[in-house]
Amino acid sequence: MSLSGSQTFGVDSLALSDLPGNTSILLTGDDSAALEAIFYRLVAAPDSEQSIVLATDSDGRSTQRALKKALRGAADRASVLSCEGAARGEDVTSVEDMSDLTRLGMDFSGAFAEAQQDPDPVRAGILLCSTIMGEVDDTRSVYRFLNSNFLSQLRRGNALGVCAIDTSADIGTDVNSTIAGLETSFGARIHVESTGRKQATLEISGLSNHDGTVDVSW
Amino acid sequence: MYANDVSNRTVLCVDTGDAVEEMAEAIRAEDGLEPVTATSITEATAQLDSQSVDCVVTEYELSDGTGLDIVKQLRSNDPQTPVVLFTDVSPSEIETASFEEMIVEYLNRELPDAFDRLGFIVDDVITHSAQVGFLVPDSEGSRLDALAEYDVDELPIEESFTRLTDLIADRFDVAVAFIGLIEKDVENFLACTGSDWDSLTREDTICTHSMLQEDVMVVEDINEDSRFANNDTLQNLGIVSYAGANMTNKDGEVIGQVCVIDHERREYSAAERETLQQFAATAMEILELRQSLRNARRTEVEA
């Protein structure tokens, strides 16, 4: 039912390699452009892999363009759940109301089950989980969504997952306390500190031999 | 892994007519899962009233309602029991308007491997408590193992802890002070000055959030925090402000919390937070000493 445990993932543009399956990454930062750039580099699927992207703040075409920009051909290997605009284009599903986590959860489960009909390993990502947190009334349902859907699918599918939080967003609670909690449920964290135009320093923890700081540009 | 009793997992299967047997067969094929069946919401309700189940698998379209009606009913009584919606109705055709924020696992039963996958998913959601409404630490298994090392029910700690919570309530001039251990599904209060709380479902507690951060967690007013503002249990208990410090064992595992609660908004200075942390360390020391004494006596008896 799940992929073999030997699956590993790499991100050439960020000099990350040999990330094991079922790696969950909490991606944080207060510069949304930098956060987005790093997110798409992490989830863009190279040949023989596939992606599932839940995009809360952009439409399907923009999401596909961002994937394509991150890695040539990645858009063709992605299934997008978009919370903005109509479902235009192949492999784009429109999410009418992101605060309807019942539907969103089913859409996400469905996309994962569909992807697993194919043997290609899966990368999955949420950009931005902080937007969902800001939309729902009860944060417990977001935790249930993350436990039930996101983290469970990564575990079962031996996938690579990235959940992005914009720390400058108003999520109706103490963002630092929330991240401290989220960090314990995720295997790794990458914090993006913007250092200039299209430049950032990544603070990486939980990715074994990659832990430390890395300067990147795009 | 922090599994339930794998030899005895009851799964309620709900589907119309003969289809329920096919569903039950898929569950039975997975080791450790035992199905019970219902063919309507009425029958499912009777089953849920008469026995404890570890998971519910339901078709969406039922003769007297939908699978989500069962979920809604289950969530009000037992919010942590996982549910798998096993149906050929696509998510876009499922009426979710009155069920927002109610998370279920969705599995399209028309997928080629759907029936093979069903048992695997049910086993997984039970084993990993996958639908709980709180963040589960990555180290939950070792944390629960650490907690299990204390024979809490056998230790003479109640009086000591009650004296301690009396002191804490007095020191902070708060309505309630308590010492709680955080189990897999609930928080059990070992001492509680100012109220008579016994236990709370874990997803309703603030401590399940507090335990995830190293320093003392303060919520000055839960009404201004989206994690707690819509939590009816906290509201009904009259909780407005909260401060909690971790009880951490020698291996770094957080097993419980020492907390102060007030019925009005309040802040805690850095010095007060430090004091609360000291009280938590004291509670941990009392627990460790009592357990060490018990272990030593047990060794003597065995010798």
Side-chain angles (χ1 to χ4, degrees), chain B residues 73-90:
Chain B
Q73 189 175 325
L74 188 66
R75 288 282 180 262
S76 63
N77 297 324
D78 192 356
Q80 296 181 179
T81 300
V83 180
V84 177
L85 198 59
F86 187 61
T87 181
D88 57 5
V89 180
S90 78

Side-chain angles (χ1 to χ4, degrees), chain B residues 2 154 186 212 234:
Chain B
Y2 39 100
E154 307 299 326
V186 297
L212 300 178
L234 300 179

Side-chain angles (χ1 to χ4, degrees), chain B residues 39-56:
Chain B
T39 56
S40 65
I41 294 174
T42 308
E43 279 186 28
T45 303
Q47 291 275 20
L48 291 170
D49 287 343
S50 66
Q51 65 180 317
S52 167
V53 302
D54 297 291
C55 181
V56 175

Side-chain angles (χ1 to χ4, degrees), chain A residues 119-131:
Chain A
D120 289 347
V122 178
R123 297 175 187 230
I126 304 173
L127 182 75
L128 293 155
C129 190
S130 44
T131 303

Side-chain angles (χ1 to χ4, degrees), chain A residues 100 102 137 144 147 173 184, chain B residues 96 99 134 138 203 225 230:
Chain A
D100 180 355
T102 310
D137 292 330
R144 193 172 271 123
N147 287 328
T173 182
T184 65
Chain B
T96 56
F99 302 99
F134 55 86
D138 211 28
E203 76 167 51
D225 191 315
N230 291 289

